[in-house]
Amino acid sequence: LKKIFLPGSVRKIRKAAFEGCEDLEEIFLPEGLETIEANAFSQCIRLESLHLPSTLTEIGTYGISDTFSWSDTLNGPKEITVQKGNPVFQDDGASLYRKASGEGREIVRYFGTSRRYQIPEDVVRILPGAFRRSMLFRLDIPASVRGVEENAFRECRNLHEIWLEESQTLLYIPGQPVYRKDEVMELFGSRDSQSRNPGREKENNILPDKWKSFVRDPIYSRDSHEEENPYERYIFDYRGY
């Protein structure tokens, strides 16, 4: 099964509907489609692109962000576009965004090819699997981001630097051994309760307390007397807890 053309009468793609269709290369999503449920395209590793209709208003967890399997080179869509006029989703040529419940946007999936990416300043949340297996070397996270969902950076083997604007912190992530790099990436996947509770004062949930056992003492990477925007550089200690 390499190509699928869905008729205009389809309003919903059910959970795991095309899961495991590793030979699927192309699927036509018609205007009128409203919902893509969770894991709808899981393991569709050869799916080349997706064009989302203007009527689509809901994508379930991992609905289009879990197109991975055994292959390190076949990872699903290299391009995701959204039909003009969609009230919920939009793309910028590198990422797919969803309108947040309040203000701002959420990143559903990054599909760019750059080695460095700066998340837009109106993004408030990074959704599950959004950056999985990206080729990024450095990622800049703005202060607007209040939460990072599970597996957001899973298997990002080339990611070495993460800049956190709010705390003016540059994190250096070890490349070796690989299992420790994966451990560090999983720390981003903690589901924080503060960012989901509008009644609580907003806190920086990007650096949870449990990270303290993973970092050495901060090293100032600029002159200590430089008052203009100094920042701390943390190096993850992968020799042991």
Side-chain angles (χ1 to χ4, degrees):
L1 186 64
K2 292 188 175 183
K3 293 185 179 181
I4 297 176
F5 293 87
L6 298 180
S9 58
V10 174
R11 295 291 180 266
K12 179 183 294 187
I13 298 177
R14 292 287 188 181
K15 180 178 179 180
F18 299 102
E19 182 177 9
C21 294
E22 295 188 351
D23 292 325
L24 181 63
E25 297 176 354
E26 181 180 354
I27 184 168
F28 173 74
L29 304 179
E31 286 294 319
L33 179 66
E34 299 172 353
T35 303
I36 297 176
E37 292 191 345
N39 301 101
F41 295 101
S42 290
Q43 302 173 30
C44 291
I45 59 177
R46 290 182 174 84
L47 190 60
E48 297 177 354
S49 63
L50 279 173
H51 180 69
L52 307 181
S54 64
T55 53
L56 184 69
T57 57
E58 182 179 351
I59 297 178
T61 303
Y62 297 115
I64 62 173
S65 60
D66 189 29
T67 56
F68 306 93
S69 186
W70 51 270
S71 173
D72 289 332
T73 58
L74 298 174
N75 297 316
K78 297 180 177 63
E79 180 183 33
I80 300 174
T81 56
V82 181
Q83 182 64 33
K84 185 177 179 181
N86 189 300
V88 177
F89 297 99
Q90 62 181 211
D91 74 277
D92 63 2
S95 294
L96 173 67
Y97 304 93
R98 180 177 73 186
K99 184 178 180 181
S101 56
E103 296 183 355
R105 297 181 294 173
E106 301 168 326
I107 292 185
V108 179
R109 178 162 182 171
Y110 172 79
F111 52 87
T113 58
S114 299
R115 283 175 54 81
R116 178 173 178 175
Y117 181 64
Q118 182 172 345
I119 295 176
E121 294 186 356
D122 64 335
V123 170
V124 297
R125 183 171 293 275
I126 301 173
L127 297 182
F131 287 90
R132 183 177 176 182
R133 286 194 190 172
S134 74
M135 298 304 292
L136 289 171
F137 179 87
R138 171 168 168 157
L139 179 66
D140 292 17
I141 301 179
S144 60
V145 174
R146 310 313 306 174
V148 179
E149 298 282 353
E150 61 183 357
N151 296 320
F153 303 106
R154 184 178 177 183
E155 298 176 309
C156 288
R157 302 289 167 78
N158 295 295
L159 187 58
H160 289 281
E161 300 178 3
I162 298 178
W163 168 250
L164 304 177
E165 180 187 39
E166 184 170 61
S167 59
Q168 294 292 286
T169 302
L170 184 61
L171 300 177
Y172 286 80
I173 303 168
Q176 297 293 334
V178 172
Y179 75 88
R180 280 313 298 270
K181 190 178 186 72
D182 289 342
E183 287 178 357
V184 172
M185 291 295 93
E186 289 175 2
L187 291 178
F188 278 96
S190 59
R191 290 182 174 274
D192 54 90
S193 58
Q194 291 98 336
S195 63
R196 294 178 176 274
N197 189 341
R200 296 283 297 274
E201 181 182 356
K202 288 198 301 183
E203 302 176 16
N204 180 10
N205 299 305
I206 305 304
L207 276 175
D209 289 340
K210 64 180 178 179
W211 282 27
K212 293 178 181 178
S213 63
F214 278 81
V215 298
R216 303 177 191 171
D217 293 334
I219 303 172
Y220 286 95
S221 55
R222 295 180 180 175
D223 293 338
S224 58
H225 63 272
E226 184 179 346
E227 296 182 0
E228 183 179 354
N229 196 29
Y231 61 88
E232 291 177 291
R233 180 177 64 186
Y234 286 93
I235 303 177
F236 282 96
D237 183 355
Y238 54 88
R239 295 174 300 178
Y241 291 72

